Amino acid sequence: MSAIQSLAALLKPIESLSPEMTISEVADQLLQPSHKAFLSLPVVDAAQRPLGLISRYRLQDIFMQRFGRDLWGKRSVTEAANPGSLVIALNTSLDDAARIVTAQLQYPITEDFILVDEYGCYQGLGTVLDLLKAMESRIDQRNRALNRALRELKNSQAHLIQSEKMASLGQMVAGVAHELNTPLGYVKNNVQLLRDLVQPLLELAEAQAQLSQCLTDPDTSAETVEAAFARVQDATELASPATFEEDFTPLVDDTLYGLEQIGELAVSLKDFARLDRAMSEDIDLNDCVRSALVIARNALKDKVKVVTRLGELPTITCTPSQINQVLLNMLTNAAQAMPDSGQILLKSWADAQFAYLSIQDNGQGIPKGIQQRIFDPFFTTKAVGEGTGLGLAISYKIVQQHGGNIRFASEPGRGTRFVISLPLNQTQSLQRSA
């Protein structure tokens, strides 16, 4: 059922009362079934100008007096009518009419309101109850529209947050791939060198096998045996143990080192994502820092010096993959705040209630005018296409959902410091914030 859109839908074309009617006659009118739904009746002059409303409540007061009907019954209705009754033009909007009525509403409600045309001439009555029902219907309709808009906004926000996460994941994967390329490159190169290095050994083995065959065959000529022996001598010189050991050992050590780096990245990536762990677990925040530093290595190296001063921390209950996302966002932002080179100082400590992590850079800082907006969704100072403005907003929400907080201080030209605090007892903290 659609909501009522105008006052015209509430109009009740009730026949008006003449000023010449007596109070007794009006009382009889109010007793008629056609007037049962109305609290009052309008008194209108010959020019159809409203003179006021006479209410059941007013008549009751009169007739409850001693000899009230005898004293008042034959008097003109205008003597009992309320000249200050509410008069509203039909072209008034429903919202404005509701504001006018509710502003003058008194309890108990004893009167309806008069509806007039644009010239002030009487058209009919409107009841307060009908108006309140119409407004309730409109409010319900608006609530449904707002709920629809809210759902759409949440869906859009979820899509944008997912897009930001995928963008962060893409950057992370690109950085990890770049980090893997270096050890993979020299492992591949070393394997190729080892293949070349092993080739003389293979040739020596083949020459020795040929010589052995010649020596065991009585029909082999002396010349053939001599040639096979010479080949073995030549192959032995090419595969001398000294030369082989001198080249082989460094290549193997170098290859093992590269494989260890690849293994470290793989373990760090798994720890970072916590793909084989529970959603929430007890962890050391310092482990998250170390894991995030490995994953962010590509974004930090060659331009940023990272100094860590990690103190001993008690374990905290959290979702590690989300905390890792916060740290990666913070480290990436700090690196981007230093276009040329700089330093990031990471410190951790704890007190009786919270574990703290400080991320401080000596980059370009945050201008004073925008410092109050940096956690707002979609706010970014980056060029179009370079950022969505969701990184810090998501980080702030994650820390807040863990019962913690993010504070920062920044001075343009000197750098920025963020301090993340996470409760040692997350359950109690969330209960306090609820």
Side-chain angles (χ1 to χ4, degrees):
M1 181 175 166
S2 60
I4 294 173
Q5 300 297 322
S6 68
L7 279 177
L10 302 179
L11 175 68
K12 301 291 192 301
I14 299 300
E15 185 177 351
S16 62
L17 304 176
S18 166
E20 284 77 25
M21 293 183 69
T22 66
I23 291 176
S24 290
E25 290 172 335
V26 171
D28 293 338
Q29 287 281 337
L30 281 169
L31 292 175
Q32 293 181 12
S34 58
H35 295 150
K36 184 178 179 180
F38 299 96
L39 297 173
S40 55
L41 292 177
V43 181
V44 178
D45 64 16
Q48 293 298 300
R49 302 287 178 178
L51 299 177
L53 288 170
I54 178 70
S55 68
R56 296 176 187 273
Y57 190 82
R58 175 62 177 143
L59 289 177
Q60 183 179 346
D61 276 351
I62 290 174
F63 293 154
M64 288 295 290
Q65 297 176 22
R66 190 175 185 182
F67 308 116
R69 193 176 186 99
D70 294 331
L71 295 173
W72 287 81
K74 295 183 179 181
R75 295 186 186 185
S76 169
V77 67
T78 55
E79 295 187 38
N82 176 17
S85 297
L86 197 56
V87 178
I88 302 177
L90 269 172
N91 59 4
T92 305
S93 71
L94 204 60
D95 291 334
D96 288 343
R99 280 192 289 272
I100 294 171
V101 170
T102 53
Q104 300 189 34
L105 202 60
Q106 294 182 353
Y107 294 93
I109 300 173
T110 60
E111 292 185 356
D112 302 302
F113 55 90
I114 299 172
L115 292 171
V116 297
D117 62 15
E118 58 188 36
Y119 303 108
C121 295
Y122 171 77
Q123 299 296 309
L125 281 183
T127 68
V128 174
L129 185 60
D130 285 343
L131 179 62
L132 293 178
K133 285 182 178 178
M135 292 310 301
E136 183 181 3
S137 175
R138 283 171 66 87
I139 291 171
D140 184 59
Q141 187 182 52
R142 287 175 180 175
N143 283 341
R144 289 197 298 270
L146 285 173
N147 285 331
R148 245 188 342 264
L150 181 60
R151 285 195 300 270
E152 292 172 0
L153 180 61
K154 285 182 176 179
N155 288 336
S156 299
Q157 186 181 37
H159 286 311
L160 286 168
I161 289 175
Q162 187 62 27
S163 298
E164 174 69 15
K165 288 182 177 178
M166 292 304 294
S168 298
L169 180 62
Q171 292 177 354
M172 182 184 73
V173 170
V176 171
H178 187 276
E179 287 297 307
L180 285 172
N181 274 337
T182 301
L184 277 176
Y186 60 72
V187 166
K188 179 181 178 181
N189 183 64
N190 288 351
V191 170
Q192 290 173 342
L193 291 175
L194 285 170
R195 183 180 61 184
D196 295 340
L197 192 61
V198 169
Q199 189 62 36
L201 293 176
L202 298 176
E203 292 177 358
L204 174 59
E206 183 182 355
Q208 288 175 337
Q210 185 180 14
L211 176 61
S212 177
Q213 183 180 3
C214 291
L215 291 175
T216 56
D217 186 358
D219 296 329
T220 303
S221 64
E223 291 82 4
T224 303
V225 173
E226 185 178 349
F229 187 75
R231 184 184 175 191
V232 169
Q233 285 183 316
D234 293 339
T236 301
E237 290 179 4
L238 292 175
S240 64
T243 303
F244 183 79
E245 185 177 2
E246 180 182 353
D247 294 335
F248 183 81
T249 302
L251 283 175
V252 171
D253 291 343
D254 204 24
T255 301
L256 289 174
Y257 174 74
L259 291 174
E260 286 174 0
Q261 282 197 311
I262 294 172
E264 179 190 1
L265 277 169
V267 171
S268 296
L269 185 59
K270 185 183 73 172
D271 289 343
F272 186 87
R274 289 300 200 277
L275 296 178
D276 59 348
R277 307 285 186 88
M279 288 296 291
S280 293
E281 59 181 289
D282 293 338
I283 63 159
D284 184 340
L285 187 58
N286 289 336
D287 291 339
C288 291
V289 173
R290 297 184 188 99
S291 178
L293 283 174
V294 173
I295 300 302
R297 184 186 295 165
N298 183 63
L300 301 176
K301 70 177 186 180
D302 301 332
K303 61 177 289 188
V304 177
K305 178 183 178 183
V306 178
V307 179
T308 57
R309 297 177 186 168
L310 305 179
E312 288 193 16
L313 300 177
T315 58
I316 62 173
T317 302
C318 68
T319 305
S321 60
Q322 292 185 351
I323 299 301
N324 286 334
Q325 183 184 356
V326 171
L327 298 180
L328 186 62
N329 285 343
M330 293 289 190
L331 290 171
T332 303
N333 283 350
Q336 292 172 347
M338 296 175 284
D340 301 320
S341 62
Q343 175 178 292
I344 297 176
L345 173 61
L346 296 171
K347 295 171 61 179
S348 64
W349 69 97
D351 58 22
Q353 293 182 317
F354 290 90
Y356 300 92
L357 176 65
S358 168
I359 304 171
Q360 183 175 356
D361 66 68
N362 60 354
Q364 55 194 8
I366 304 171
K368 296 288 186 184
I370 65 171
Q371 288 187 10
Q372 299 301 318
R373 302 179 59 194
I374 64 169
F375 294 120
D376 292 348
F378 314 116
F379 177 75
T380 179
T381 58
K382 297 175 184 176
V384 176
E386 293 184 7
T388 61
L390 285 171
L392 281 177
I394 292 173
S395 299
Y396 188 85
K397 188 173 184 63
I398 288 173
V399 172
Q400 195 175 48
Q401 287 173 341
H402 279 76
N405 190 26
I406 301 181
R407 295 176 290 111
F408 77 97
S410 183
E411 186 173 344
R414 298 192 62 181
T416 303
R417 182 190 186 196
F418 285 89
V419 177
I420 302 171
S421 58
L422 292 169
L424 302 183
N425 189 329
Q426 183 187 358
T427 303
Q428 291 182 2
S429 178
L430 290 176
Q431 288 175 347
R432 287 195 300 269
S433 62

